[in-house]
């Protein structure tokens, strides 16, 4: 699509490189060329060139490289030092490997930062060097064997591959096996070409538009140089046809431009001539004339050039409301059917949309149902279907979400594949939206508002006041629209016009009002009573909806009013007034709140009171507590509408002289208070009237009454104190009567109750498993049960025998509770109390706590020899590898576990190492196996025993130690293990014999036992050597034990002064790593004369074959033979005699000798070496033959060797001059000939070469040839 044309409004394609240019121009083929004021080379020249980090004036480049190399060499030495330590100490390899990986990484990747000349390698090179270092670090640190010998041998094989020939000289096998002189010559056949021409070979789309006034039509020519080209153009709009003739100068100019565009093409390669056209139409190639004035063969070809497609968005308003349709129109123009791709973005979420097959109604395109090889169907000259058509596409989709909806055109494509791209960079979207609105359409979708009243209940307003309409704004977004204006429309009917049923009157016009609100929380102020209903609401962009409730009634009720009537309240005895009884009558909107004041004469204090009246009337009693002249003033009334309405103007004042009757009451009755047995209760009494007073009261309990009279009480507060309450239960204190100075006795009904506890609190210990004693694990807590009586919570105090001076206090809420104990001893309860003091039960006040003993270990006295010190024992010495054990005794609760450390020391006291182990015992005794695998001193330290009750105690100071010495077993090895002691068969009768040295280790004297056995099924013979006084000894084998053949001498057993014995396995080991077996064995060989045998039993060989024989005897060998008439001697160090045949001849072996004896064995072996076959094509030269299509050429093959012959030749493609690639094999043929010459015919173009040949004896093939059966074997008749 990047090759599609663009209109003037299209944006450039996304650049393919990070570097961006601000100038971009669309080209006719749609590609974008970006203008640059500075060439790339010039830009590089303008960049400041950074020098080395250390200036060259301070240190020259050579010195910097020297110091860098020196630092690398120092790191190498340090690395080898670490490797040496690893081999000596056998330490951890992984951390050394990580260390050197980090050091190499810092050095290698930090080296380019110094910018030293010649050391500024690329990232790929530096990574490769780092990986090589990492591999080297791994092989060193993990001690991986580096096969230097194998690598050196492989490198030598590659650089210097030489083998010994029969003439005893070193030759290169490649010069023998790959002899190019054996196959010479080749035949090249070339078929002369014919010229051709075709219009628009790629069948690509072409279009001409506003920004592309012309295009270049490609015309491909092959094997011709035209001087005249004729094109036919059919107009798309008028169907008129015209002929376009391209003259010779124009064709020459086009040819020159094609050669300049593709200078690498050869003279016979096809070329593309480009002809500029400026009109749409159907173009057909009619005639092409070449330099010889002959018409060039042309294929039916044509090109269709149409108008470029284009699309744009029709302008429309920007703002929309939620739920409306988008109403976006797309105008598309081009050759139908068209395809449009656009991008829809909804609140940042992008959705790609495609519209397929955009075409006018009743339109059909022949491209859909005709052969695509022809842009115009055969027999149909009408091309009006390719005309540019304009189609209007409407995008009507419901705008279901509020926010920003963006429609952006991305691509339009016509039926022929011409496309125009409108995609832009992200940072250019804003510029495109403003500059090219026809390519980008942004819709702002707004939420719709709604409104309702908070309630439809009638609302009341005070006369002369204003209230706000109880509006509740919302929207389709479930919240009010903020920062936008609202327009509200409502109806109003005055109070006097409201119909009886409420609402607007029928037949009368209501007042309609409309208000503008700046925001959703603005107020609509109302000041007139009447009926209001909401009609309509809208925001700045969208109309809204009125929800229910939508109407209410506003009323103005009358102002509140108060009327009072009063009556005296008199004392029945003295007839004095003691207060007023006031009747309150109110009008207004209940509920009411009436406020009044009360003031005593000659007093400055004014008491203020409030009376709530839920209805319209209420009676209030005004009874002062003290005597005097009182004035009552009612000054303010509040109802549901009017607040703090003053009624002072009505002068509502009442006055009265008050003399209250005598009375008495409890100040603090303390009802429900609990008292303890034996306590007294105290109560304060408030007296009213005129002093002095006489007070009568009684105390009632258990059916008994205790009356008392108190006279001459002067103060108005008197304290009554009861006697001690000795019985539990409920007491009643009742006030009976009071008499003041008037002598009027007033009966009283005041009384209060006194609750006295029935019992005192008690405490005592409970039982644990039927006892007040318990055993616990040391260090753990135990919960001791206590039993509490009374009313919780209780405060309990106790002490322990371990700390008798320290009292412990705790509060408990449960009658069956616990106290925590962690130390052993006697725990005793000393005190208990709830709200009342209590007592501790004497028989249950103590609880005993004991610790369970910790586990202990010891060793069985039978298992040890002596006791060195406390907890330190020694066992008897033992030989290395013998079985021994130690019995460990446990005390405690099974199962038992004990940890012990097994420590090994060498004889000199150097610590070799230790290991931590664990011993488990189900009973009181457990055994451990003593370590006798290696010699030295062993020490076993037992510590941290644990049983079923106690875990291991790491703080245990002393450990149980048992030590033992393990004697090493003696060893015996041959001084030269694996050595073969050689004898000739004729020498076995000689007196004397070989001395075989043996090296012994251990404590002398030694006893040695060896075994000698001849190879085969023979029985071994045993030799004993006793009382060997030193660590070295020479074994003498009598000749009576050996005959001709191979013998193995093996050490069977050795014993030292400690009676420690080491036995050796006399079975031969084929494991090369089994050093113990190989060190205890030597060979004794009695040799006969050497022999030679065939490895390949045949008498005829070819040059380049390898002759091999197997040699038996003692290495090295001497092979005597004749070749090509000359006698030769070959020394062979191994058991195989192998030579390469470098030339033909007769090979004859005459004798053989080895190093075991001086005898020379006669041999008679003869073999014939044949020469390799040869072949020559076209007398061994390169022959070229040009033929016409259908012609033939003769190819001559000449052979050398012994017939019959079989050969394979191939036909390869002819490469153009200067080509460096390998030619492809087109055909392979295998033929057979009984003669030394063969002729054959060929009519196909190509290069003919022989790749393999075979005669009666041998075969030869070029390297890489795949001839059948050519593997170097002899050809059988």
């Amino acid at each position: 699509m990047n090759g599609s044309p663009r209109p003037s409004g299209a944006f450039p394609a996304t650049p393919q490189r990070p570097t961006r240019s601000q100038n971009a121009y669309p080209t006719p083929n749609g590609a974008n060329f970006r203008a640059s004021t500075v060439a790339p080379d010039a830009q590089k020249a303008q960049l400041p060139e950074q020098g080395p980090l250390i200036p060259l004036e301070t240190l020259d480049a050579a010195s910097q490289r020297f110091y860098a190399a020196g630092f690398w060499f120092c790191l190498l030495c340090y690395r080898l030092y670490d490797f040496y330590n690893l081999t000596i100490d056998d330490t951890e390899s992984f951390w050394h490997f990580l260390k050197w990986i980090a050091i190499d990484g810092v050095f290698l990747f930090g080296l380019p930062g110094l910018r030293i000349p010649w050391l500024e390698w690329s990232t790929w090179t530096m990574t490769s060097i780092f990986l090589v270092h990492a591999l080297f670090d791994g092989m060193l640190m993990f001690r991986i064997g580096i096969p230097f010998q194998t690598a050196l041998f492989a490198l030598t094989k590659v650089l210097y591959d030489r083998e010994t020939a029969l003439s005893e000289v070193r030759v290169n096998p490649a010069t023998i096996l790959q002899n190019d002189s054996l196959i010479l010559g080749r035949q090249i056949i070339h078929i002369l070409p014919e010229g051709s021409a075709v219009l628009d070979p790629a069948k690509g789309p072409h279009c001409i538009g506003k920004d592309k006034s012309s295009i270049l039509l490609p015309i491909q020519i092959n094997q011709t140089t035209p001087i005249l080209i004729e094109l036919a153009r059919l107009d798309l709009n008028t169907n008129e046809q015209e002929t376009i003739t391209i003259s010779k100068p124009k064709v020459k100019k086009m040819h020159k431009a094609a050669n300049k565009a593709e200078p690498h093409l050869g003279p016979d390669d096809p070329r593309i001539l480009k002809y500029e056209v400026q009109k749409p139409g159907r173009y057909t190639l009619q005639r092409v004339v070449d330099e010889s004035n002959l018409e060039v063969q042309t294929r039916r070809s044509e090109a269709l050039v149409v108008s470029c497609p284009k699309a744009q968005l029709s302008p429309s308003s920007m703002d929309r409301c939620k739920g409306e349709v988008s109403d976006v129109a797309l105008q598309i123009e081009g050759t139908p059917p068209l395809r449009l791709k656009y991008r829809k973005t909804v609140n940042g979420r992008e959705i790609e949309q495609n519209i397929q097959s955009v075409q006018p109604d009743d339109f059909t395109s022949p491209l859909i149902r005709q052969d695509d090889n022809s842009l115009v169907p055969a027999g149909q000259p009408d091309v009006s279907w390719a005309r540019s058509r304009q189609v209007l596409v409407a995008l009507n989709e419901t705008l279901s979400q509020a926010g920003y909806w963006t429609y952006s055109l991305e691509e339009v494509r016509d039926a022929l594949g011409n496309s125009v791209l409108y995609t832009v960079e992200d940072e250019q979207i804003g510029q495109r939206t403003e500059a090219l609105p026809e390519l980008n359409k942004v819709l702002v979708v707004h939420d719709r508002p709604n409104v309702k009243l908070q309630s439809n209940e009638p609302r009341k307003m005070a006369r002369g006041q204003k209230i706000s309409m109880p509006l509740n704004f919302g929207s389709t977004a479930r919240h009010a629209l903020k920062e936008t204006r609202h327009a509200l429309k409502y109806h109003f009917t005055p109070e006097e016009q409201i119909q009886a049923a409420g609402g607007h009157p029928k037949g009368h016009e209501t007042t309609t009002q409309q208000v503008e609100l700046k925001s959703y929380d603005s107020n609509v102020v109302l000041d007139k009573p009447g009926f209001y209903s909401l009609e309509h609401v809208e925001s700045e962009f969208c109309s809204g909806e009125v929800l229910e409730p939508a109407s209410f009634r506003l009323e103005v009720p009358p102002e509140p009013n108060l009327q009072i009537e009063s009556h005296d309240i008199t004392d029945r005895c003295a007839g004095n007034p003691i207060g007023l009884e006031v009747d309150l009558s109110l009008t207004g909107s209940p509920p009411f709140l009436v406020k009044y004041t009360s003031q005593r004469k000659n007093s400055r204090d004014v008491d203020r009171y409030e009376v709530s009246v839920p209805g319209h009337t209420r009676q209030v009693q005004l009874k002062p507590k003290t005597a005097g002249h009182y004035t009552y003033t009612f000054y303010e009334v509040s109802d549901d509408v009017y607040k703090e309405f003053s009624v002072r103007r009505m002068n509502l004042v009442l006055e009265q002289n008050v003399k209250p009757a005598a009375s008495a009451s409890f100040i603090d009755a303390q009802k429900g208070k609990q008292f303890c047995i034996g306590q007294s209760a105290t109560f304060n009494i408030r007296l009213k009237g005129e002093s002095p007073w006489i007070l009568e009261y009684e105390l009632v309990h258990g059916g008994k009454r205790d009356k008392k009279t108190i006279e001459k009480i002067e103060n108005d507060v008197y304290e009554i104190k009861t006697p001690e309450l000795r019985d539990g239960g409920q007491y009643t204190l009742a006030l009976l009567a009071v008499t003041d100075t008037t002598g009027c006795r007033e009966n009283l009904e005041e009384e209060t109750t006194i609750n006295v506890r029935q019992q005192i609190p008690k405490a005592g210990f409970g039982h644990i498993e039927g006892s007040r004693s318990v055993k616990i694990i040391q260090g753990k807590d135990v919960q001791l049960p206590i039993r509490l009586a009374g009313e919780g919570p209780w405060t309990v105090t106790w002490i322990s025998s371990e700390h008798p001076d320290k009292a412990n206090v705790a509060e408990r809420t449960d009658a069956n509770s616990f106290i925590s104990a962690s130390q052993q001893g006697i725990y005793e309860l000393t005190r208990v109390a709830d709200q009342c003091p209590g007592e501790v039960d004497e028989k249950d006040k103590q609880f005993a706590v004991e610790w369970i003993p910790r586990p202990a270990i010891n060793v069985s006295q039978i298992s040890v020899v002596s006791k060195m010190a406390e907890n330190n024992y020694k066992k008897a010495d033992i030989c290395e590898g013998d079985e021994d054990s130690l019995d460990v005794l446990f005390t405690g609760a099974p199962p038992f576990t004990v940890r012990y450390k097994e420590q090994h020391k060498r004889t000199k006291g150097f610590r070799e190492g230790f290991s931590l182990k664990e011993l488990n015992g189900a009973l009181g005794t457990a055994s451990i196996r003593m370590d006798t695998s290696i010699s030295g001193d062993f020490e076993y330290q037992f510590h941290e025993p644990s049983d079923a009750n106690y875990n291991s105690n790491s703080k245990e100071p002393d450990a149980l130690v048992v030590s033992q010495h393990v004697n090493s077993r003696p060893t015996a090895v041959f001084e030269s293990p694996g050595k073969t002691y050689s004898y000739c068969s004729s020498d076995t009768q000689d007196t004397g014999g070989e001395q075989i040295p043996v090296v012994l280790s251990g404590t002398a004297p030694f006893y040695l036992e060896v075994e000698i056995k001849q190879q085969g099924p023979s029985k071994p013979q045993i030799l004993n050597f006793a009382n060997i006084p030193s660590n070295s000894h020479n074994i003498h084998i009598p000749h009576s034990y050996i005959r001709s053949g191979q013998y193995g001498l093996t050490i069977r057993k050795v014993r030292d002064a400690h009676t420690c014995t080491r036995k050796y396995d006399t079975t031969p080991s084929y494991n090369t790593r089994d050093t113990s077996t190989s060190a205890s064995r030597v060979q004794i060989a009695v040799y006969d004369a050497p022999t030679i045998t065939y490895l390949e039993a045949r008498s005829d060989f070819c040059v380049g074959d390898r002759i091999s024989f197997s040699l038996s005897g003692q290495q090295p060998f001497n092979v005597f033979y004749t070749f090509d008439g000359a006698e030769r001697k070959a020394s062979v160090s191994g058991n195989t005699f192998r030579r390469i045949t470098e030339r033909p001849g007769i090979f004859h072996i005459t004798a053989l000798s080895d190093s075991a004896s001086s005898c020379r064995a006669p041999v008679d072996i003869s073999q014939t070496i044949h020469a390799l076959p040869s072949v020559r094509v076209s007398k061994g030269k390169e022959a070229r033959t040009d033929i016409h299509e259908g012609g033939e050429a003769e190819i001559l093959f000449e052979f050398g060797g012994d017939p019959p012959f079989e050969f394979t030749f191939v036909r390869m493609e002819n490469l153009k001059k200067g080509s460096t690639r390998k030619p492809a094999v087109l055909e392979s043929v295998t033929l057979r000939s009984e003669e030394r010459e063969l002729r054959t015919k060929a009519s196909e173009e190509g290069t003919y070469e022989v790749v393999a040949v075979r005669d009666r004896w041998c075969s030869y093939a070029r390297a890489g040839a795949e001839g059948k059966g050519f593997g170097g074997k002899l050809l059988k008749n």
Side-chain angles (χ1 to χ4, degrees), residues 36 112 581 593:
S36 179
E581 210 171 53
L593 182 64

PDB file of all heavy atoms in Angstrom, residues 36 112 581 593:
ATOM      1  N   SER A  36      16.435  16.233   2.087  1.00  0.00           N
ATOM      2  CA  SER A  36      17.460  16.401   3.121  1.00  0.00           C
ATOM      3  C   SER A  36      18.476  17.404   2.605  1.00  0.00           C
ATOM      4  O   SER A  36      18.942  17.331   1.471  1.00  0.00           O
ATOM      5  CB  SER A  36      18.140  15.075   3.427  1.00  0.00           C
ATOM      6  OG  SER A  36      19.136  15.263   4.393  1.00  0.00           O
ATOM      7  N   PRO A 112      36.126  -1.037  25.123  1.00  0.00           N
ATOM      8  CA  PRO A 112      35.760  -0.060  24.074  1.00  0.00           C
ATOM      9  C   PRO A 112      35.503   1.331  24.614  1.00  0.00           C
ATOM     10  O   PRO A 112      35.600   2.306  23.884  1.00  0.00           O
ATOM     11  CB  PRO A 112      34.486  -0.673  23.464  1.00  0.00           C
ATOM     12  CG  PRO A 112      34.568  -2.129  23.767  1.00  0.00           C
ATOM     13  CD  PRO A 112      35.253  -2.221  25.087  1.00  0.00           C
ATOM     14  N   GLU A 581     -51.479  26.534  87.705  1.00  0.00           N
ATOM     15  CA  GLU A 581     -51.818  25.603  86.637  1.00  0.00           C
ATOM     16  C   GLU A 581     -52.225  26.457  85.447  1.00  0.00           C
ATOM     17  O   GLU A 581     -53.203  27.187  85.493  1.00  0.00           O
ATOM     18  CB  GLU A 581     -52.969  24.718  87.087  1.00  0.00           C
ATOM     19  CG  GLU A 581     -52.946  23.338  86.457  1.00  0.00           C
ATOM     20  CD  GLU A 581     -53.974  22.429  87.102  1.00  0.00           C
ATOM     21  OE1 GLU A 581     -55.130  22.826  87.169  1.00  0.00           O
ATOM     22  OE2 GLU A 581     -53.581  21.343  87.542  1.00  0.00           O
ATOM     23  N   LEU A 593     -43.254  25.536  70.042  1.00  0.00           N
ATOM     24  CA  LEU A 593     -42.285  25.649  71.126  1.00  0.00           C
ATOM     25  C   LEU A 593     -42.514  26.991  71.813  1.00  0.00           C
ATOM     26  O   LEU A 593     -42.344  28.048  71.187  1.00  0.00           O
ATOM     27  CB  LEU A 593     -40.857  25.559  70.596  1.00  0.00           C
ATOM     28  CG  LEU A 593     -39.750  25.627  71.649  1.00  0.00           C
ATOM     29  CD1 LEU A 593     -39.831  24.411  72.581  1.00  0.00           C
ATOM     30  CD2 LEU A 593     -38.385  25.727  71.014  1.00  0.00           C
TER      31      LEU A 593
END
